[in-house]
Amino acid sequence: MAPRTTPGGASIARERLLATASELFYREGIHSVGVDRIVGEAGVTRATFYRHFPSKEDLVEAYLGVEDAHIRAAFQAAEATGAPPRELVGLVIDGLADDVARRHTRGCPFINAAAEYPDADSGVRRAVAAHREWFRSELEQVLDAADAPDPRLGAAELVLVRDAAMVGGYLDGWERVRPAFLASARRATGLPLSRVPTAEDGASNEEG
């Protein structure tokens, strides 16, 4: 019997394994989740698992690939709006904030994975490094197109601000951290971006 596939041609079993592992890895940590649990919750056999992922580390790298694809899609969606360069910077920042609110309430999956794989030469750490290099480069291009005063420094500061915000959001709650992230991110660009109204602004208007 031929393997079942999605309309796009991907193996249904592989997609199920990857979706199950992605949820468990992010929620509970990578090393704390074993292959047996992933196989059981995905409803496939161990043989099926190893046919698609020769090792657990291969699965972890695929999980990080999914996370990378989500962030790339967020950039593509912002660019697809056709917004002017400076407006696009604001859309990207807002998109990063929304991504944390919707998908990353337990911190950055790349930072979390790196903490569990201390060997910088491992495939997992190389995947983390490649993603962060792309992310930094993409931010730099967006800032350069908007005529930011120092796109390289601005991109580096945005990466740093987002890293801190994702940790802070997990520890303190994203609604508390979000206004500070948006303000800090806009300052980091070096551009006169408009400030986004916050919930506090609405409350003040109602009181007035």
Side-chain angles (χ1 to χ4, degrees):
M1 181 180 294
R4 296 173 62 199
T5 61
T6 67
S11 163
I12 290 177
R14 184 184 187 280
E15 293 302 299
R16 189 183 302 148
L17 281 164
L18 188 51
T20 300
S22 295
E23 180 182 350
L24 292 172
F25 287 161
Y26 186 65
R27 187 177 70 223
E28 301 181 21
I30 295 169
H31 290 328
S32 67
V33 178
V35 169
D36 286 342
R37 184 173 175 198
I38 295 169
V39 165
E41 296 202 16
V44 302
T45 65
R46 286 180 67 89
T48 297
F49 175 92
Y50 287 113
R51 183 165 65 248
H52 293 290
F53 303 103
S55 70
K56 182 181 175 182
E57 187 167 308
D58 289 307
L59 177 59
V60 175
E61 291 178 35
Y63 152 62
L64 294 177
V66 170
E67 292 290 349
D68 176 78
H70 280 303
I71 299 299
R72 289 175 186 262
F75 273 90
Q76 291 168 0
E79 292 165 356
T81 64
R86 188 164 293 182
E87 184 178 328
L88 179 60
V89 174
L91 290 177
V92 166
I93 291 172
D94 291 342
L96 293 176
D98 290 341
D99 172 74
V100 178
R102 291 195 313 269
R103 302 188 64 254
H104 292 125
T105 56
R106 295 181 63 83
C108 174
F110 293 93
I111 293 175
N112 295 348
E116 296 198 56
Y117 285 83
D119 181 2
D121 292 326
S122 70
V124 171
R125 287 294 296 275
R126 288 198 298 271
V128 171
H131 167 77
R132 289 178 66 81
E133 183 59 34
W134 166 83
F135 183 57
R136 187 179 295 105
S137 175
E138 190 74 10
L139 289 171
E140 185 175 339
Q141 290 179 41
V142 171
L143 291 176
D144 185 51
D147 294 323
D150 192 337
R152 186 179 181 85
L153 178 60
E157 290 186 7
L158 280 174
V159 172
L160 189 63
V161 168
R162 180 171 177 264
D163 285 346
M166 294 185 85
V167 174
Y170 174 44
L171 296 175
D172 301 326
W174 182 240
E175 290 309 310
R176 183 176 183 181
V177 171
R178 181 184 179 113
F181 165 73
L182 291 173
S184 297
R186 281 167 169 72
R187 284 196 298 270
T189 68
L191 296 169
L193 302 178
S194 301
R195 190 176 74 85
V196 173
T198 66
E200 288 76 9
D201 294 330
S204 296
N205 290 336
E206 290 175 4
E207 291 171 3

